[in-house]
Amino acid sequence: MGMTRRPFVGGNWKMNTDLASAVELADDVVAACGCFADRCDIALYPPFPYLQVVGRTLGHHGLLLGAQDVYHQPNGAYTGEISTDMLLDLNVKVVLIGHSERRHVIGENDELVNAKLLAALEAGLGVVLCIGETLEQREAGDTNRVNVSQLMAGLREVAPEQMEQVTIAYEPVWAIGTGQVASPQDAAAVHRIIRRSVADLYDQDTAGGLRIQYGGSVNAANARDLFGEPQIDGGLVGGASLDSPQFKAIVEAAVQATEKKREAPTA
Ligand code: 13P
């Protein structure tokens, strides 16, 4: 597993911005981060109603348009839901699946997460499968068990060749939106378990090529240390992605950390 993976930073805007501020933020992010797009995958996940306008802004700048969720059925009587074809129509490239807020606030279970993931892969979309333990689970010593279980359930029936489309985001629930970031060592320890599980489930090459993002209170001040960990291939950023200078600093930290890893490769 001596390879260096291309870093991947996502800005999950969640249920924030309005039409005007979404366009403005996308413009600012393109201006600030466009120059890094050759060295880092950068995705923006605006709210559904703004996908089209944000997509126009990202257009030819090499940034990826992302969606925060998708439904697994192709069409029909599913009021309020959004299909993979609708996302493809808008030039969406990547979709978040099983975000912590979908699981814990909206109530999605592992079966629905897996169905959505399979549908998105089938449609040719990139997917970011989000997993993570709650504080209660961490304190009970269940961190590894919970993450491996969400990982296995999410990847159920995913073919080896589809794993190229998959990124994992490890987002400990207690670190999301709390300002309480996981230590780089704690995050890396979970990333190592995730990678080992993928090696067991598929093979070493698949695990070695898999990108695992960390998410949960990533900001301009802590990104460098997090991304310095060989196991951490970038971040999924909430709050700090709404501030373009801060988001730029995070992307820059990912690019610089990857250059260092390339100079001094480790495991
Ligand atoms: P924060 O960066 O606001 O903690 O959110 C993390 C997250 O959930 C990204 O998907």
Side-chain angles (χ1 to χ4, degrees), residues 1 129-133 138 143-152 155 163 166-172 186-204 206-208 210-215 231-233:
M1 283 192 228
L129 172 63
C130 306
I131 63 175
E133 81 286 356
R138 172 162 285 259
T143 296
N144 291 348
R145 189 191 57 75
V146 169
N147 282 292
V148 169
S149 145
Q150 289 181 359
L151 180 74
M152 295 296 154
L155 293 179
M163 284 302 288
V166 176
T167 297
I168 305 295
Y170 167 55
E171 299 202 298
D186 283 350
V190 177
H191 284 220
R192 206 168 292 115
I193 299 285
I194 293 169
R195 205 177 297 286
R196 195 188 303 152
S197 303
V198 169
D200 290 345
L201 197 59
Y202 296 93
D203 54 51
Q204 289 291 341
T206 303
L210 176 74
R211 290 181 301 179
I212 308 177
Q213 298 176 311
Y214 167 79
Q231 285 289 336
I232 302 181
D233 306 311

Side-chain angles (χ1 to χ4, degrees), residues 12 14 99 171 175-177 216-217 236-239:
N12 176 9
K14 308 191 179 183
H99 188 275
E171 299 202 298
I176 296 177
S217 297
L236 184 52
V237 185

Side-chain angles (χ1 to χ4, degrees), residues 20-69:
S21 62
V23 171
E24 192 182 333
L25 180 56
D27 280 342
D28 290 349
V29 171
V30 163
C33 299
C35 61
F36 299 112
D38 58 336
R39 285 162 288 167
C40 182
D41 282 350
I42 305 164
L44 297 184
Y45 305 86
F48 282 127
Y50 311 136
L51 276 172
Q52 191 170 15
V53 281
V54 168
R56 269 189 217 131
T57 299
L58 301 190
H60 304 288
H61 294 91
L63 278 72
L64 304 168
L65 184 63
Q68 298 176 16
D69 186 29

Side-chain angles (χ1 to χ4, degrees), residues 10-249:
N12 176 9
W13 295 0
K14 308 191 179 183
M15 199 172 74
N16 293 298
T17 69
D18 56 21
L19 181 57
S21 62
V23 171
E24 192 182 333
L25 180 56
D27 280 342
D28 290 349
V29 171
V30 163
C33 299
C35 61
F36 299 112
D38 58 336
R39 285 162 288 167
C40 182
D41 282 350
I42 305 164
L44 297 184
Y45 305 86
F48 282 127
Y50 311 136
L51 276 172
Q52 191 170 15
V53 281
V54 168
R56 269 189 217 131
T57 299
L58 301 190
H60 304 288
H61 294 91
L63 278 72
L64 304 168
L65 184 63
Q68 298 176 16
D69 186 29
V70 70
Y71 201 57
H72 58 287
Q73 296 290 354
N75 53 52
Y78 304 103
T79 301
E81 296 301 326
I82 305 286
S83 72
T84 54
D85 277 354
M86 294 173 188
L87 297 185
L88 291 170
D89 251 354
L90 298 181
N91 218 15
V92 167
K93 303 293 184 203
V94 55
V95 58
L96 302 181
I97 303 285
H99 188 275
S100 144
E101 286 136 25
R102 305 259 3 134
R103 293 177 189 264
H104 298 290
V105 182
I106 317 291
E108 289 190 14
N109 62 22
D110 278 329
E111 288 68 38
L112 183 57
V113 168
N114 177 243
K116 290 181 171 193
L117 185 121
L118 292 173
L121 289 177
E122 193 61 35
L125 288 159
V127 304
V128 177
L129 172 63
C130 306
I131 63 175
E133 81 286 356
T134 63
L135 184 59
E136 199 179 19
Q137 290 164 332
R138 172 162 285 259
E139 285 175 345
D142 273 346
T143 296
N144 291 348
R145 189 191 57 75
V146 169
N147 282 292
V148 169
S149 145
Q150 289 181 359
L151 180 74
M152 295 296 154
L155 293 179
R156 211 173 138 254
E157 288 180 25
V158 174
E161 63 273 14
Q162 291 179 309
M163 284 302 288
E164 280 183 18
Q165 289 165 255
V166 176
T167 297
I168 305 295
Y170 167 55
E171 299 202 298
V173 180
W174 48 270
I176 296 177
T178 59
Q180 202 192 331
V181 66
S183 73
Q185 296 72 26
D186 283 350
V190 177
H191 284 220
R192 206 168 292 115
I193 299 285
I194 293 169
R195 205 177 297 286
R196 195 188 303 152
S197 303
V198 169
D200 290 345
L201 197 59
Y202 296 93
D203 54 51
Q204 289 291 341
D205 276 0
T206 303
L210 176 74
R211 290 181 301 179
I212 308 177
Q213 298 176 311
Y214 167 79
S217 297
V218 176
N219 61 33
N222 59 33
R224 185 176 305 269
D225 284 347
L226 286 164
F227 301 158
E229 288 289 332
Q231 285 289 336
I232 302 181
D233 306 311
L236 184 52
V237 185
S241 75
L242 298 170
D243 178 69
S244 61
Q246 201 164 168
F247 190 65
K248 177 197 175 176

